[in-house]
Amino acid sequence: KQEVTQIPAALSVPEGENLVLNCSFTDSAIYNLQWFRQDPGKGLTSLLLIQSSQREQTSGRLNASLDKSSGRSTLYIAASQPGDSATYLCAVRRYGGATNKLIFGTGTLLAVQP
Amino acid sequence: EAQVTQNPRYLITVTGKKLTVTCSQNMNHEYMSWYRQDPGLGLRQIYYSMNVEVTDKGDVPEGYKVSRKEKRNFPLILESPSPNQTSLYFCASTNSMLEQYFGPGTRLTVT
């Protein structure tokens, strides 16, 4: 059974710092991994999608890496801003196509202090 | 703008009064799904649909129904809502690269 864990559960940093969020999964047979951002009481916004054949993806100040063999992904946020404050969720999809649902991690609550 | 929309965004109802939460996507995606999110339990899938007229149960389907008569719409039906269905509900659609997009959420309170 796939389990997804995110560490730390909560993180508070001063504005301008670079930071890393971690995601680990127990079954390396994944199709892809997706990072989301969720603001309180709001929907999930897709940040980055990494296919199993890829090692990393970048979008602006965000960089996500994937190491299937070790069951790990990291989300790197450069030059953090107060507007980055949100909960960050990673989710993995197993092989088997769309019938296999996304398995979500527990989330990291990020607070960027001005 | 490519998006998933849900209505209503907020709903307060009473036990036993049937309700429907609508979901629509304008991206021509075949795969759609419904989730509920509860504190401490995270996101759990309720139902999913691979295409028109093809639906299947997720992890927590009890008390819910869905239908997929058109590709763009995937309504969630609560025939007889109960207080334990108070939750934040999300509709999602998935593209051919299996990237998932979520709607803005519907906060449902059943008293």
Side-chain angles (χ1 to χ4, degrees):
Chain A
K1 178 189 173 186
Q2 179 74 272
E3 293 182 0
V4 182
T5 305
Q6 292 184 244
I7 294 173
L11 181 64
S12 180
V13 300
E15 181 177 3
E17 244 187 47
N18 302 324
L19 58 99
V20 174
L21 307 181
N22 296 294
C23 172
S24 61
F25 46 94
T26 54
D27 185 350
S28 62
I30 65 169
Y31 188 88
N32 61 30
L33 182 145
Q34 198 166 352
W35 281 94
F36 295 90
R37 158 190 182 136
Q38 184 177 26
D39 293 287
K42 300 288 181 62
L44 282 71
T45 300
S46 179
L47 297 174
L48 290 163
L49 172 74
I50 309 179
Q51 303 293 353
S52 63
S53 58
Q54 298 174 319
R55 293 299 298 255
E56 65 178 330
Q57 282 286 347
T58 298
S59 176
R61 294 183 294 108
L62 305 180
N63 175 278
S65 68
L66 174 64
D67 184 342
K68 276 202 322 178
S69 61
S70 65
R72 294 176 60 186
S73 176
T74 61
L75 179 66
Y76 175 84
I77 302 177
S80 59
Q81 303 169 358
D84 294 330
S85 298
T87 296
Y88 290 79
L89 295 158
C90 72
V92 299
R93 191 185 299 274
R94 290 172 49 203
Y95 269 100
T99 54
N100 281 311
K101 60 184 178 294
L102 282 177
I103 307 296
F104 283 87
T106 46
T108 294
L109 178 60
L110 172 65
V112 181
Q113 308 299 333
Chain B
E1 180 190 354
Q3 59 183 348
V4 180
T5 57
Q6 296 178 228
N7 282 292
R9 297 288 314 282
Y10 303 91
L11 180 59
I12 300 174
T13 190
V14 296
T15 300
K17 186 176 181 182
K18 180 180 179 179
L19 66 92
T20 299
V21 184
T22 64
C23 172
S24 183
Q25 51 95 3
N26 61 1
M27 296 170 279
N28 202 36
H29 293 166
E30 293 182 347
Y31 183 86
M32 298 182 73
S33 51
W34 276 101
Y35 293 81
R36 62 178 288 174
Q37 186 178 37
D38 302 286
L41 297 176
L43 280 146
R44 295 178 292 170
Q45 191 184 61
I46 303 170
Y47 268 95
Y48 66 91
S49 170
M50 296 289 289
N51 212 326
V52 175
E53 303 293 1
V54 181
T55 63
D56 207 347
K57 298 176 181 178
D59 296 319
V60 288
E62 294 77 22
Y64 304 95
K65 285 177 57 177
V66 292
S67 69
R68 188 90 181 272
K69 297 189 186 325
E70 306 166 281
K71 198 172 193 178
R72 64 183 293 126
N73 296 322
F74 189 43
L76 179 69
I77 304 157
L78 284 72
E79 294 268 4
S80 183
S82 62
N84 65 11
Q85 292 179 298
T86 292
S87 187
L88 182 57
Y89 290 87
F90 292 105
C91 180
S93 71
T94 305
N95 66 15
S96 58
M97 297 297 292
L98 300 187
E99 182 174 15
Q100 195 144 315
Y101 297 87
F102 283 81
T106 295
R107 185 167 293 282
L108 172 65
T109 302
V110 184
T111 61

